[in-house]
Amino acid sequence: MKERNIPAAVPAGRPALILAIETSCDETSVAVIEDGVTIRSNVVSSQVETHRKFGGVVPEVASRQHVETITLIMEEAVEQAGIALRDLSAVAVTQGPGLIGALLVGVVAAKALAYSLQVPLIGVHHIAGHIYANALVHKLEYPLLALVVSGGHTELVHMEAEGSFRIIGRTRDDAAGEAYDKVARALELPYPGGPHIDRLAQEAAEALPLPRAWLEPDSYDFSFSGLKSAVLAALNSARMKGSPLDPAAVARGFQESVVDVVTGKALRAARELGVKQLLLAGGVAANRGLREALVRQCAEAGLPLIVPPMSLCTDNAAMIGAAAHLMWTRGQYSPLELKAESALSLENWSPASR
Ligand code: KG4
Ligand code: ZN
């Protein structure tokens, strides 16, 4: 491969403009981020309508749709940002984790663009992206604790410094969003079910009593499969008795169980670690019940809480650009041989550990 003549930094007086690409699951998204904080554009093309009829994401279909839309979305993001391609300082892309075929589409597109423009390529961890979405709207102060709740992940991440990630707790089975989607399916709600359960839970007059999975007293890990099974068992038994349960009461009982455990563990960890901020990240961060409980509990504990705006909770490329800026300022670029990794580890990827 031809040697690349990568500039070390942006010439003085010019903003750092990073074009970021996200294709890890069912959103094709491209953003242009200026100096790590200003969103010049953030175009998100969701495939939800396509996958809805299957009740979940079909990986092959997702990859194909990314291939069909990626160039259009890239053009739209550049146009909305009001820049020319030659103005770009770097190209960033979600390297993993995610669906391998879907990730590959973004990685190949990013490599082609970075190579043709002779600018750095920056591979980003998807969860680092969710966490750094918050940096687009708030100043982060370390040490902090990030509560990551998405369709594929549920983790408590201790960040002692910028770019340093230590996972202190994770789900032992389903991710929170996955549990939401499975329970929603049992209630015959459309995919993705999280927002529907959230809405029903707000409307419910009462809550179906359901268990809380606290696990061992000192554990920061999570488990949602027992809760999901409890919901399915309650639905089945009521159906057999001929007195079906009120879906809103089920939704509220389920949401209360998830929110109690997730907020309880996050606040205990934040207290024990003595962090300066608790930060919420991931698709389930859009959940109103979770946001309200965290706002209340953090106010009581005197702990500053950072929540992303709704538009930056679910998958988008702006968050990838925000995390990439961190790598950009450190000069941590990726080789053109960068490989998409479906199970990329956050701790190994950490900019601070390189
Ligand atoms: O972060 P994300 O866009 O994708 C992954 O990286 O996994 O998260 C998607 C997940 C889905 O499971 C969806 O049901 C859930 O986030 N979600 C919600 C809400 N909005 C999205 N879950 C609960 N309440 C919501 N309001
Ligand atoms: Zn995500």
Side-chain angles (χ1 to χ4, degrees):
M1 195 172 280
K2 188 171 156 265
E3 270 297 294
R4 297 201 307 153
N5 183 18
I6 302 294
V10 185
R14 271 185 55 193
L17 287 170
I18 298 181
L19 180 137
I21 301 176
E22 154 65 40
T23 62
S24 69
C25 192
D26 60 346
E27 259 93 33
T28 317
S29 181
V30 180
V32 175
I33 301 298
E34 181 178 329
D35 292 332
V37 287
T38 308
I39 303 175
R40 295 281 293 252
S41 63
N42 185 24
V43 183
V44 183
S45 165
S46 173
Q47 305 178 359
V48 152
E49 290 308 323
T50 308
H51 297 288
R52 186 164 285 150
K53 52 183 171 289
F54 304 108
V57 179
V58 183
E60 280 305 308
V61 176
S63 315
R64 203 167 299 180
Q65 205 155 321
H66 284 309
V67 171
E68 282 166 14
T69 43
I70 187 77
T71 0
L72 277 173
I73 303 296
M74 281 166 84
E75 281 170 9
E76 205 174 316
V78 169
E79 195 187 313
Q80 282 188 18
I83 60 158
L85 280 176
R86 64 174 178 281
D87 300 330
L88 290 173
S89 318
V91 178
V93 64
T94 305
Q95 183 189 356
L99 303 170
I100 191 68
L103 287 166
L104 263 170
V105 178
V107 166
V108 169
K111 284 182 184 180
L113 185 61
Y115 183 69
S116 66
L117 296 173
Q118 292 289 298
V119 296
L121 173 70
I122 302 174
V124 174
H125 192 286
H126 183 76
I127 295 303
H130 273 300
I131 292 174
Y132 274 92
N134 286 283
L136 290 164
V137 279
H138 299 282
K139 183 166 167 32
L140 305 191
E141 285 185 35
Y142 304 90
L144 63 78
L145 181 72
L147 168 59
V148 180
V149 274
S150 76
H153 295 260
T154 303
E155 280 153 11
L156 280 171
V157 185
H158 184 208
M159 297 183 65
E160 287 187 274
E162 190 178 75
S164 137
F165 304 91
R166 188 169 67 90
I167 298 175
I168 59 161
R170 50 162 50 97
T171 181
R172 294 182 184 172
D173 39 59
D174 291 350
E178 196 179 353
Y180 264 95
D181 295 340
K182 287 178 178 170
V183 167
R185 200 171 174 165
L187 292 174
E188 295 173 9
L189 297 167
Y191 173 84
H196 297 282
I197 298 227
D198 194 11
R199 179 183 42 78
L200 274 183
Q202 311 287 328
E203 292 167 7
E206 52 182 20
L208 175 74
L210 286 165
R212 268 82 177 135
W214 290 107
L215 308 177
E216 306 80 43
D218 59 345
S219 175
Y220 293 133
D221 280 351
F222 302 97
S223 167
F224 298 105
S225 69
L227 174 61
K228 177 197 67 194
S229 302
V231 171
L232 298 183
L235 285 170
N236 277 338
S237 122
R239 215 169 280 142
M240 280 182 350
K241 284 186 202 142
S243 54
L245 295 171
D246 169 22
V250 177
R252 181 162 156 200
F254 169 77
Q255 178 143 311
E256 283 181 1
S257 172
V258 172
V259 169
D260 270 4
V261 173
V262 162
T263 57
K265 291 197 181 230
L267 268 102
R268 176 165 65 83
R271 194 170 53 241
E272 284 171 7
L273 294 164
V275 294
K276 290 189 181 155
Q277 294 176 334
L278 176 63
L279 180 155
L280 183 60
V284 184
N287 186 271
R288 276 197 289 161
L290 177 59
R291 291 166 88 101
E292 282 163 19
L294 279 177
V295 166
R296 193 178 58 250
Q297 292 178 31
C298 285
E300 279 164 19
L303 175 67
L305 171 70
I306 309 284
V307 288
M310 289 299 209
S311 60
L312 296 178
C313 287
T314 44
D315 291 348
N316 65 88
M319 67 186 201
I320 302 302
H325 186 77
L326 190 75
M327 321 279 285
W328 160 263
T329 53
R330 292 164 173 257
Q332 290 176 331
Y333 310 144
S334 306
L336 276 181
E337 291 73 29
L338 179 81
K339 282 193 173 56
E341 283 188 44
S342 60
L344 185 67
S345 141
L346 179 61
E347 286 160 340
N348 293 344
W349 175 85
S350 277
S353 69
R354 296 182 189 196

